[in-house]
Each structure stands twice: as C-alpha cells, then as structure tokens.
Amino acid sequence: MLDRVRKAYGRFRDAMRARSRPDGEGRPGKESRGGGKRTHNLFEAAAAYVSACAEDDQDRIDEAAGWVSPEALSFGVNELACRAVIALARERDESPRTVARELLGLPPA
C-alpha cells in the first residue's frame, strides 16, 4: 500500500514539475530506446544550465547540474561558450578575441 502511495506521489510531483516549465523540458515519461528514463547528454545539460543561469532560475540550474558530472558540465559549458563566441564573431565580422573581451566588459587588447 505504501509503495502505491509513493509511486502516485512521484508521478504527481513529476507532472507538476513538467507543467511548471513552459518549454516542457524534462517531461516525465520521456523515454529512451532502452525503455528506461531518458538520460541527458553533456551538451543538453550545458545548454539547459547556461540558459537557466541567464534567466536566474535556480530550480532549473540545480536540475541541469544533476544531469551529468560536474566535470562533464564544465566541459559542455566551455564548449558552448566557444561556439557562442565564434558564432557572434562571425555575425559581427570581428575576431573571437575582440568579441569575448567585449562581452566581458574588458578594454580592447
């Protein structure tokens, strides 16, 4: 009996979390080919983590940080930063160094 209550509460909690996110990220029941709960890769974690940081959403920050190891998250965030700076530099027709310094509010080198 207690197991049924726990399972029902777990499904309710997951449904409420999914409903509270407008993008539907992390919806319960999203499954992988193996039939278990879907796992996230480090790039998904990095994208979710950085976007949550930009929006100052601590719940989503904590959730994304739990998807992968801290080392993997750090690598993913670094890769995302590199790709973003390169894309922005191409868009502005400037060097990645100039764009990175500008984004951080540093004086031109």
Side-chain angles (χ1 to χ4, degrees):
M1 176 70 178
L2 189 55
D3 287 335
R4 288 165 132 187
V5 172
R6 282 187 198 148
K7 287 179 184 177
Y9 175 73
R11 286 192 302 268
F12 173 76
R13 184 188 63 223
D14 292 343
M16 295 311 292
R17 284 183 184 161
R19 190 179 305 161
S20 68
R21 286 188 289 277
D23 60 356
E25 243 181 49
R27 269 182 267 155
K30 204 173 192 181
E31 308 216 347
S32 66
R33 292 179 192 158
K37 285 276 186 186
R38 182 180 182 283
T39 59
H40 301 276
N41 71 36
L42 65 100
F43 297 116
E44 288 177 314
Y49 182 84
V50 169
S51 63
C53 287
E55 296 169 357
D56 198 25
D57 185 339
Q58 190 61 48
D59 290 337
R60 285 182 44 223
I61 290 170
D62 295 340
E63 179 182 7
W67 289 350
V68 295
S69 72
E71 295 83 11
L73 183 61
S74 177
F75 175 82
V77 168
N78 182 58
E79 186 66 22
L80 177 61
C82 290
R83 291 179 187 195
V85 168
I86 289 168
L88 196 52
R90 286 179 182 159
E91 185 178 294
R92 294 180 178 183
D93 198 28
E94 296 177 347
S95 74
R97 183 178 186 180
T98 301
V99 171
R101 293 184 65 84
E102 201 175 285
L103 287 172
L104 292 171
L106 299 172

